[in-house]
Amino acid sequence: MPRFVLTLTILILFLLEGTVLQLLSPTAWGLSVVTVPRFALVSIIMVALFLGRREGLLYGMCFGFLQDVLYGQVIGVYTLSMMVAGYFAGLVLLLFHRSLAVVVATAAVILFGHEWLLYSLFRLFSGTAVDVQWMLTERILPSVGLNLVFALLIYLPMTKMCESVLARKDRQHD
Amino acid sequence: MSFFGNKRLIILLVGLVLLISVIGFTSRERASLTWPEKFLKDTFSVVQGFFYRPAQAFSGFLKEVEDAYNVYEENRQLKASLDQFAEMSAQLKLLETENERLRSLLQAKSQLKNYEFRVAEVVARNMEQWNDVITIDKGSKNGIKKDMAVISSSGLVGRVKSVANFSSTVELLTAANRSNHISALILGKPELNGIIDEYDPREHLLIMRKIPLGPKIQEKSQVVTSGLGGVTPKGLLIGEVVRVEPGDYGLTQTAYIKPSADFSQLNEVLVVERAFVTTGSGELVPSSQVNVSGQTTPADAGTGAGSTSGSLGGGR
């Protein structure tokens, strides 16, 4: 049951990305910056930080695949990038103990790395050149900022959900 | 032996090979989607609709409240333009009848302008530059086909990229790696053809290339689709020229076009079906003979070529 709630939460966040949040985006208010909401990825990073890198990898793969099928035309790009993001977020646990600061710092690094990976992948395969500096200041950094704010908001609920999943796991082990 | 004993490594390698082959398989331009994709897209488009429609209604309400403050000013402007409108529409009627009379005198048959609309609602939007797409709630069961033009009330928005049964994905003009090019026409004293093949996200302008050198292009002249080739009808408004530059090798001109559609607020779009479709081999066939993936069915292709000239005359 806790696992179902967790998955459902991430799924709803994923659906919100494409629907409700589009109406709140800065472009709708006439600003030039574009923020891409990646709320599912933020929650996947937290899952990886609480439940381990393997879970991060699996959740990343599933939701990356969903993103690919629903919005992309090449299947596999987001599957790869979100999978890698989830796995590397889990790796941080080997170096640091979990705390709010570590979670936020990890989320910042991983979100930036994810956008950067996507930029390089699409830059490699699509012919059109986009200026790196413009891309950084107008797209990538605002997106990372928005998603970090969301990470702070979701930190407590996510902690609770992941802990209940862990508790359930422990009980089954005993 | 120890290599095969390492199960994790094997799984990783097999997974990587699978992933790369899937990327390779799907990165080509595909005629139609596979059924799992269709199923996923259809299911999610329904759920996304649940989320998007109330949100849209709410933001629409907010906009109405904002509009209510400007009613007086707007009303005055509208009244002023209404006088012009009556005059214009009378003139338009006159020209239309004259055009029809002249056409019948010339026995001109081709009607690239004939088209019909299908209204579709937007259920989701992806904001990313790479996959700048919207999902609409009409699919192949509603007669949507690949490559159809999609317009909003103010101008051309994009084209249908892939079709599922009850939903389809529309690639917007603003996408960075658009796979199709739009053949466009600059309205003016000499009408000039060109191809819109890129979008500049920094300036929010479309780039139209391969315009013949010579005639000077007036700024603010309107740009419409030319209807040459493909399934886009003639005369859909794209935008207006902002500035003109010499082309890459000095043999052509390049125009920068401000799109007239507002891409930040897309709630309802119209999918345009042209009455006659140009096939890859240059034939003009009625669009009812074209299957979902945008290709003529082999059985119809032969008869289509023969019957077109006959049915074209009665096309209107």
Side-chain angles (χ1 to χ4, degrees):
Chain A
M1 193 60 195
R3 157 114 21 216
F4 177 72
V5 172
L6 180 69
T7 314
L8 192 71
T9 312
I10 303 180
L11 190 65
I12 287 174
L13 286 175
F14 175 79
L15 287 171
L16 287 182
E17 273 178 20
T19 54
V20 179
L21 286 159
Q22 300 303 327
L23 300 168
L24 305 172
S25 76
T27 33
W29 304 101
L31 293 171
S32 73
V33 292
V34 172
T35 54
V36 183
R38 299 225 185 268
F39 293 178
L41 183 64
V42 169
S43 50
I44 286 166
I45 290 171
M46 288 193 185
V47 166
L49 281 170
F50 282 97
L51 303 180
R53 52 182 190 266
R54 191 177 256 181
E55 302 251 335
L57 184 126
L58 275 178
Y59 273 105
M61 194 171 77
C62 293
F63 283 95
F65 180 72
L66 213 55
Q67 169 96 14
D68 270 330
V69 171
L70 292 192
Y71 301 120
Q73 62 186 131
V74 181
I75 294 175
V77 176
Y78 281 89
T79 316
L80 181 73
S81 69
M82 285 174 85
M83 205 163 80
V84 169
Y87 188 78
F88 276 89
L91 275 187
V92 172
L93 275 191
L94 300 181
L95 300 172
F96 298 103
H97 282 290
R98 196 166 45 233
S99 68
L100 180 63
V102 169
V103 169
V104 171
T106 314
V109 171
I110 297 285
L111 282 167
F112 183 80
H114 179 254
E115 298 285 339
W116 194 251
L117 179 66
L118 280 178
Y119 171 73
S120 40
L121 277 178
F122 281 109
R123 179 76 183 77
L124 189 65
F125 290 115
S126 78
T128 45
V130 186
D131 187 35
V132 181
Q133 197 183 356
W134 176 83
M135 190 72 201
L136 265 177
T137 53
E138 299 277 305
R139 300 283 156 106
I140 295 182
L141 291 180
S143 302
V144 172
L146 170 87
N147 288 317
L148 272 187
V149 172
F150 178 73
L152 285 175
L153 286 179
I154 208 184
Y155 179 73
L156 271 182
M158 223 42 202
T159 318
K160 278 204 186 110
M161 264 184 273
C162 288
E163 269 165 3
S164 61
V165 171
L166 274 181
R168 174 74 178 242
K169 229 186 202 173
D170 285 343
R171 240 183 301 146
Q172 279 173 346
H173 262 282
D174 292 340
Chain B
M1 194 59 215
S2 68
F3 179 77
F4 288 105
N6 201 340
K7 225 164 74 182
R8 228 184 251 173
L9 189 68
I10 298 280
I11 292 175
L12 186 76
L13 283 177
V14 170
L16 257 177
V17 168
L18 262 178
L19 189 70
I20 289 170
S21 48
V22 167
I23 293 180
F25 176 70
T26 52
S27 62
R28 284 173 294 163
E29 181 83 21
R30 285 180 295 162
S32 63
L33 298 171
T34 53
W35 69 262
E37 278 174 285
K38 280 185 186 171
F39 174 74
L40 264 178
K41 281 191 181 205
D42 286 338
T43 325
F44 272 89
S45 78
V46 172
V47 186
Q48 281 166 332
F50 289 144
F51 283 92
Y52 206 37
R53 288 203 187 101
Q56 267 177 346
F58 183 68
S59 91
F61 171 74
L62 285 186
K63 203 151 205 144
E64 270 162 30
V65 170
E66 200 185 311
D67 284 347
Y69 284 99
N70 310 328
V71 160
Y72 176 73
E73 187 59 27
E74 208 175 283
N75 194 24
R76 227 178 46 181
Q77 285 178 356
L78 284 178
K79 264 186 185 155
S81 61
L82 195 66
D83 296 339
Q84 274 184 347
F85 176 73
E87 196 185 309
M88 287 260 279
S89 63
Q91 221 165 45
L92 186 73
K93 261 258 159 70
L94 215 69
L95 286 174
E96 225 169 40
T97 47
E98 190 186 340
N99 191 352
E100 209 140 293
R101 191 173 56 84
L102 291 175
R103 264 182 177 282
S104 64
L105 276 178
L106 277 172
Q107 295 180 320
K109 282 168 186 166
S110 111
Q111 286 281 359
L112 293 178
K113 284 195 286 189
N114 278 0
Y115 52 81
E116 50 186 276
F117 295 130
R118 286 191 178 83
V119 182
E121 261 182 73
V122 179
V123 291
R125 166 88 198 261
N126 194 29
M127 213 61 178
E128 260 174 314
Q129 201 180 349
W130 317 112
N131 297 316
D132 205 350
V133 296
I134 54 175
T135 309
I136 56 175
D137 66 345
K138 295 267 156 48
S140 61
K141 288 277 185 288
N142 309 90
I144 310 283
K145 285 165 197 150
K146 193 175 183 310
D147 288 331
M148 277 183 178
V150 178
I151 60 174
S152 73
S153 52
S154 48
L156 189 71
V157 166
R159 57 133 203 167
V160 175
K161 192 172 75 170
S162 61
V163 188
N165 289 329
F166 305 103
S167 69
S168 34
T169 309
V170 177
E171 189 174 43
L172 299 181
L173 287 178
T174 52
N177 50 346
R178 237 177 39 243
S179 43
N180 70 324
H181 299 170
I182 298 160
S183 131
L185 194 66
I186 300 180
L187 299 180
K189 258 302 140 203
E191 289 185 342
L192 291 168
N193 276 299
I195 289 170
I196 296 180
D197 59 358
E198 208 182 311
Y199 176 75
D200 185 355
R202 302 175 68 168
E203 295 180 275
H204 306 286
L205 296 176
L206 293 162
I207 304 174
M208 179 170 171
R209 295 208 167 87
K210 301 198 174 74
I211 308 165
L213 209 58
K216 185 135 174 44
I217 300 167
Q218 294 295 322
E219 277 170 24
K220 295 217 167 168
S221 44
Q222 287 186 319
V223 180
V224 298
T225 55
S226 73
L228 299 175
V231 293
T232 316
K234 187 175 180 176
L236 301 178
L237 184 65
I238 298 173
E240 59 177 35
V241 177
V242 173
R243 65 167 197 276
V244 183
E245 283 176 8
D248 293 337
Y249 301 105
L251 301 170
T252 54
Q253 304 183 70
T254 300
Y256 288 78
I257 296 159
K258 187 176 181 298
S260 58
D262 180 10
F263 293 99
S264 65
Q265 294 286 339
L266 293 169
N267 302 335
E268 223 167 45
V269 292
L270 304 165
V271 184
V272 182
E273 181 177 25
R274 199 168 82 179
F276 291 93
V277 174
T278 320
T279 61
S281 52
E283 295 159 13
L284 212 60
V285 295
S287 58
S288 52
Q289 288 179 8
V290 179
N291 62 18
V292 176
S293 53
Q295 278 141 3
T296 43
T297 43
D300 291 343
T303 56
S307 65
T308 17
S309 52
S311 56
L312 263 175
R316 182 117 200 194

